[in-house]
Structure formats: C-alpha cells, structure tokens
Amino acid sequence: MSAVLEVENMVKVFRARGREVRAVDDVSFTVREGRTFGLVGESGSGKSTVARCALRLIEPTSGVSRVSGEDLGALGRRQLREKRRAFGMVFQNPVAALNPRMSIRDSISEPLRTHTRMSAKELDARVLELLDEVGLSRSHATRLPHQLSGGQCQRVGIARALSTRPKLLVLDEPTSALDVSVQAQVLNLLQQLRDEHQLSYLLISHDLDVVRYMSEDAGVMRRGQLVEVGPASEVLVAPREEYTKQLLASMPQPPGAVA
Ligand SMILES: Nc1ncnc2c1ncn2[C@@H]1O[C@H](COP(=O)(O)OP(=O)(O)O)[C@@H](O)[C@H]1O
Ligand SMILES: [Mg+2]
C-alpha cells in the first residue's frame, strides 16, 4: 500500500524569550493511502506542531515530509501553495475556525476561490454538493456561523477542507470541542467520507477512544517524541511501552467505547 504522507526525522525547536522548547524531537511515521493514522498524546506533547511541520504550515528545524512521494521541503513558495490543494485541515474549535461575518457558502468556497478559476455558478453547485456530503441542508448556505450549532460548524469545516478534493485530511482534535452526543456523529461522518472518497487521515487527539475507534495505525507522543508506533490494534490495545500502558490505564472507558 502506498504512502500519502511520510514524515521522517522531524524536529521543531521553538525559541521564545531565550528559552528553547524542543516541541518535536525526531518524529517519523507514515500515513497510508485510504487509512487513518491516529496521533495520541497529552496536551503539549507536540501533536499539532508535528502536523504543521509535516504540511509545511510552519518551517521545521529539520526533517523531511513527503506528500504522495513529493518532498514538500524542496518546493518553492508558489509550488507549495499549489500543493496545498492536495491536503485539507480540520481544527478543534469549529466556530472560531470560521470567519464570523462570512456566509457558510463563502466559507466553504473560499479555498476554491483561492486555488481555482471556477465560475460563480460552478462554485455554487460545488457548495451545494458539499453541503449534501456533510449532512447539512442547502438552506445553510446563506447562514452565518453563529446561527449554527458547534456540530454543524464542524460539518462546515469538513466541507471546506474537502472543497478542493484533497487526498489527505489532517484532523486536529476534530471533536474535542463538541458535545459528547455530537462527537460520534461527526466521527461517523468522517469515516463515511474517508471510505467514499478514498481519503487518508492524520487524526490528532488526546482521546484514546477516538483514535482507537478511527485508526488503523497509531502513534503515541510524549514530550515531542513518538514513544510507540504501529497498528492501532496493538499500540492502543496491548502496548509494549510503559508510557502507553499508563495512558491506557488512566482511561476510564472500556476498550471500544467512544467518548
Ligand atoms: N509558536 C510556538 N512558540 C513557542 N512554543 C510553542 C509554539 N507552539 C507550540 N509551542 C510549544 O510546543 C509544545 C508542543 O505544543 P503542541 O504541538 O501545541 O502540543 P499538542 O498539540 O500535543 O497539545 C508545547 O510545549 C507548546 O507550548
Ligand atoms: Mg494540539
């Protein structure tokens, strides 16, 4: 099976007020085509930073990332911008991620307006198609973010991320800010979209149950390092590393339950 995203020896050192923070410390993993790689770890362990470095949203200190075999570090600014169509991002706080004054239609079509020369008519048609795909009604197109629930806003975020038909989605705590009752609905939608469109996911979560429910492959981060990586059925069920065992033991839910 081919790799959609390969991350090799990624390092990110932040320098703030004379202090150095090694947020990502030599991290390597692969997101396979049509599969979900779940990255789990406590808050502050470096999950978001490694994802941002992998997609070159921030410049890594060192390390390599390849999307469908292409080294992103070797691309110039314009090529990288063009390449951004191949991946989408979904963030933790769905309401804050949307421009409060922009209609849902405009939010969803913004990446298309940036990356393509689609006509207004084509954009409208694509927005309606995307609303259908994420389970929102067409009447949502003219609304503003504050008129939608958190779960609906996250569906808009997913529609926006899918607009350019990427192969890879990075989902950074996509359900952490949602009510428990809504989390499973959004996770199920993501599963369904992945299978329909042969997408690959890099799923970031501090919630082991979410990662276990969604992922074929998993990695556990601690203080910038990937302490364990492998099939989710091994890493998150019968881990070899002491830290992962502790993390599992600290979770109150039985295996397989979704928070
Ligand atoms: N822009 C930044 N400047 C300085 N330090 C940062 C910056 N972004 C993240 N960090 C630090 O890097 C570490 C990892 O953060 P982050 O990747 O956000 O962790 P996680 O997503 O696992 O919660 C933390 O110690 C955080 O404070
Ligand atoms: Mg984070």
Side-chain angles (χ1 to χ4, degrees), residues 108-109 112 118 120-133 159 162-166 197:
I108 293 176
S109 63
L112 289 171
M118 285 167 75
K121 205 173 154 188
E122 288 168 327
L123 288 172
D124 276 350
R126 179 74 181 129
V127 167
L128 295 181
E129 186 178 62
L130 285 160
L131 285 169
D132 283 344
E133 281 191 16
L162 287 175
S163 64
T164 58
R165 303 184 195 277
H197 298 286

Side-chain angles (χ1 to χ4, degrees), residues 72-86:
L72 294 187
L75 300 179
R77 229 174 236 277
R78 263 187 56 191
Q79 291 170 305
L80 190 58
R81 270 239 317 242
E82 179 61 25
K83 192 74 189 170
R84 292 237 161 89
R85 289 181 63 172

Side-chain angles (χ1 to χ4, degrees), residues 14 16 21 23 41-50 52 172 204:
F14 288 112
V21 179
E42 293 170 29
S43 176
S45 57
K47 306 180 297 296
S48 296
T49 303
V50 75
R52 287 196 203 109
D172 193 349
I204 294 171

Side-chain angles (χ1 to χ4, degrees), residues 6 21 42 89 103 108 113 137 141 153 156 169 178 241:
E6 296 160 281
V21 179
E42 293 170 29
M89 278 203 79
S103 71
I108 293 176
R113 285 182 273 125
S137 81
C153 281
V156 173
L169 284 195
L178 302 178
E241 296 296 322

